[in-house]
Amino acid sequence: MATHATFDGRPDESLDAAALNAVDEAARAIAGLLDVDEALQLIVERVRSLVGARYAALGIVGTGDRIERFITSGMSRQEREAIGSLPRGRGLLGLIIREERSYRIPNIAAHADSSGFPVNHPPMTSFLGVPVTSRGRSVGNFYLTDKAGGAEFTPKDQRLVEVFALHAAIAIENARLHQQVAGYAIVQERDRIGRDLHDGIIQSLYAVSLSLEDVPEMMTTSPAEAEGRVDAAIDSLQASIRELRNFIYGLRPETLDGADVAAGIVALTEQFGYNTLVDVQLDVDPDAGNDISPEHGAELLQVVREALSNAARHARARRLVVSFRLDEGVLNLVIADDGVGFDASAGVPAGHDGLGNMQARAVAIGATLRIESASGEGARIIVRLPVRAPA
């Protein structure tokens, strides 16, 4: 026997307190922005328990009415893996998908639309199938089997599952909307990057190519002018390379917000090495900054940025070493160069305002900053920030 019932979305007075509490729990899980798989798994678990089914599943329908996800309850992972691939939506599962209405069937094997079970599938007898619809479109189906005590599922069971089907539809639709929004954001970001590259770097490279078109002829008629044109083109290409690298590193948020200090230090020093051709050596523990806040991390990165800027403008260094380590509850940041150095005992030399800025940033986050330098011996900037008591 197959039966069909409709549900208009209003609370069913026949639902008991346990059922209403379970419905409320499912609604809160969805409203609480839990992971969609967690919310759907909770719904399937509650439905199975409330209607007294041995097995329950929620099949989510994709393109071509094929089941793209199958969330189960009452079956172990080993049993799921033994069955194999997802069901294809044939037999009684396909019946619910095609007709989009509820079915209560006392014996699966005796039904005309039954196609049997695959190898390693547990035996099942009674069946309750309920469609999950959103905006008049089928997005999935509930399947419950083996009513406790060997009886057939009741009309009350069907009404309860139809209540949960509404919440499942909301969760599925929300997940798809979030996926679409994320896809649109990626497309918009790609468009923005394309525009920025076209309006800036690509135009600069195109201008360089135009300036070199006449060089072969000028090498014969005006060698000096041709040489000047080539030198100017080389300068423009180097400027474009620097602009492109800055653009790439600007897309990496860890260099700005302090959320990942170690990654930010690596990005800043690599960028410094590319732009200045200084030999940079890194000794960075990727987990060293995990115990500080993003605000303190941002201040540390500003210290690194200022130190690198000073090295580029004043030190005339050929080699730079950056170390970032956690030692007995203290973060140690060391930036050392082999440049011209200065007499640290004589105070901050003229034009080195960045050293004072670094000192102020260190004090603001409870760190100490020490500068070691001597004329002709390079400089070392040492920052120590306590983050936790030593073990």
Side-chain angles (χ1 to χ4, degrees), residues 146-358:
D146 286 9
K147 173 75 174 179
E152 179 185 357
F153 289 99
T154 66
K156 181 180 177 180
D157 293 333
Q158 180 178 326
R159 287 194 296 273
L160 177 61
V161 176
E162 287 171 345
V163 171
F164 276 88
L166 295 176
H167 293 287
I170 294 172
I172 294 171
E173 189 65 22
N174 283 348
R176 290 181 174 173
L177 289 175
H178 282 300
Q179 187 177 14
Q180 290 177 3
V181 169
Y184 293 149
I186 291 174
V187 171
Q188 291 176 348
E189 183 66 6
R190 286 175 178 171
D191 290 343
R192 183 191 69 80
I193 291 172
R195 288 194 301 270
D196 290 348
L197 289 175
H198 178 271
D199 294 341
I201 298 170
I202 293 177
Q203 292 294 338
S204 298
L205 295 177
Y206 181 65
V208 171
S209 69
L210 291 178
S211 70
L212 294 175
E213 285 184 351
D214 298 333
V215 167
E217 181 179 348
M218 294 170 60
M219 291 178 64
T220 302
T221 59
S222 305
E225 186 177 354
E227 182 179 355
R229 187 78 64 90
V230 171
D231 289 341
I234 292 174
D235 292 339
S236 297
L237 289 174
Q238 291 176 343
S240 296
I241 291 172
R242 287 194 297 270
E243 184 180 354
L244 181 58
R245 285 175 176 152
N246 290 335
F247 181 84
I248 292 172
Y249 281 101
L251 297 176
R252 297 170 65 172
E254 68 269 14
T255 65
L256 303 175
D257 59 14
D260 190 338
V261 183
I265 291 174
V266 171
L268 288 172
T269 51
E270 286 182 349
Q271 181 184 16
F272 171 82
Y274 286 136
N275 288 343
T276 63
L277 300 180
V278 173
D279 179 22
V280 177
Q281 293 190 5
L282 287 170
D283 178 22
V284 175
D285 179 358
D287 300 319
N290 292 348
D291 294 324
I292 64 175
S293 67
E295 293 76 17
H296 284 187
E299 292 295 330
L300 271 181
L301 290 178
Q302 289 298 335
V303 171
V304 174
R305 192 192 302 270
E306 192 72 49
L308 295 176
S309 176
N310 285 341
R313 288 183 296 170
H314 306 296
R316 299 199 295 275
R318 292 174 296 177
R319 185 169 177 267
L320 188 79
V321 178
V322 178
S323 173
F324 184 61
R325 289 277 170 185
L326 179 64
D327 183 20
E328 295 186 351
V330 178
L331 279 175
N332 293 277
L333 169 66
V334 180
I335 304 171
D337 66 66
D338 65 349
V340 296
F342 60 93
D343 184 0
S345 63
V348 177
H352 287 69
D353 296 335
L355 297 177
N357 294 337
M358 287 189 290

Side-chain angles (χ1 to χ4, degrees), residues 14-33:
S14 64
L15 299 181
D16 57 25
L20 292 175
N21 286 337
V23 171
D24 179 67
E25 183 181 9
R28 290 176 183 272
I30 298 170
L33 298 179

Side-chain angles (χ1 to χ4, degrees), residues 36-37 40-42 44 56-60 69-73 80 86:
V36 64
D37 286 335
L40 294 177
Q41 186 69 53
L42 183 147
V44 175
L58 172 62
I60 300 176
R69 291 164 69 191
F70 207 64
I71 300 170
T72 63
S73 174
R80 281 284 307 271
L86 294 179

